[in-house]
Amino acid sequence: ITCNGAGHVVNITLSGINLLGEVPPELGFMQHLEILDLSDNMLTGYLPSDLRFAPLEYLDVSGNAIRGFVPPMLCLTSGINGNGADGTSTCDVIACSEGHWSPIGRATTPEEPV
């Protein structure tokens, strides 16, 4: 967990530490959170739609048992994983749609390698 100079949490990276439970919706109300990496844990449930309120630039929830779909309002949020950089916002760069899989848990943007 990283804070900026003002003491605000800007990065939560808790990858591969066997976290159990659901992604707390309260994370969406962190006004300065730019990076949320909860990959490769044992998280379940759904991706909270409240994440659309955080100023996320990077979100990784791959390697978990999160089910369902990416909340539509989160898909319309520009900036997460390069979403909207080409003028089009899509759920594919947030997380893979149900029934699909990729090694990084989402589609890539033209600016990043696979």
Side-chain angles (χ1 to χ4, degrees), residues 70-94:
V70 178
M73 292 307 295
L74 189 57
C75 298
L76 297 175
T77 304
S78 294
I80 302 173
N81 300 342
N83 197 18
D86 63 356
T88 305
S89 294
T90 176
C91 291
D92 293 341
V93 297
I94 307 296

Side-chain angles (χ1 to χ4, degrees), residues 32-105:
H32 303 278
L33 186 62
E34 298 172 356
I35 298 170
L36 180 59
D37 183 352
L38 301 174
S39 61
D40 301 319
N41 284 292
M42 294 180 275
L43 298 172
T44 59
Y46 297 93
L47 198 58
S49 62
D50 291 336
L51 287 175
R52 73 182 185 272
F53 297 120
L56 291 172
E57 296 174 7
Y58 178 79
L59 173 66
D60 189 349
V61 292
S62 63
N64 287 288
I66 294 173
R67 61 183 184 270
F69 59 92
V70 178
M73 292 307 295
L74 189 57
C75 298
L76 297 175
T77 304
S78 294
I80 302 173
N81 300 342
N83 197 18
D86 63 356
T88 305
S89 294
T90 176
C91 291
D92 293 341
V93 297
I94 307 296
C96 286
S97 57
E98 193 168 10
H100 292 85
W101 180 89
S102 83
I104 63 168

